[in-house]
Amino acid sequence: AKKELAEPQPQAMQLEKRLMSAYTITDGLAGERARWSRDIKDLERKHDLLVGDSLLAASFLSYFGPFDANYRHQYLNCLLKEMSCSG
């Protein structure tokens, strides 16, 4: 009778370790799901702005291309300052 009780003991301990590992993995994946959801929302927002940002950059380079880098830098700083003040 003791032999019959002793045989399942190591198997039960091994199964308990596997179960704890499974819980650890699923808890970690739940945290990843939340992070992935935030990343998806951020990427969708950036995707919505991509066309406008590209158009703005292309128009700036087209118009200010002939000017030297110092003038472009000064103008861009002035423009950004005005944009931040206007809200």
Side-chain angles (χ1 to χ4, degrees):
K2 286 186 178 183
K3 185 177 182 183
E4 290 176 4
L5 290 176
E7 286 180 15
Q9 199 73 357
Q11 290 176 342
M13 289 173 54
Q14 185 180 21
L15 289 174
E16 187 175 344
K17 285 181 184 179
R18 286 183 181 172
L19 185 60
M20 295 306 281
S21 295
Y23 283 136
T24 303
I25 290 171
T26 54
D27 286 345
L29 289 176
E32 285 296 304
R33 180 182 175 103
R35 185 180 64 84
W36 290 338
S37 295
R38 285 191 310 270
D39 288 349
I40 287 170
K41 287 179 183 177
D42 187 47
L43 287 172
E44 286 173 344
R45 184 186 60 80
K46 288 179 181 179
H47 179 265
D48 291 342
L49 300 175
L50 182 62
V51 173
D53 289 349
S54 299
L55 183 61
L56 183 62
S59 61
F60 181 83
L61 291 175
S62 295
Y63 184 76
F64 287 100
F67 298 106
D68 66 357
N70 189 32
Y71 180 77
R72 287 192 306 253
H73 186 68
Q74 287 175 353
Y75 185 81
L76 183 59
N77 285 337
C78 181
L79 183 64
L80 291 174
K81 190 176 190 182
E82 282 185 37
M83 289 172 63
S84 66
C85 289
S86 65

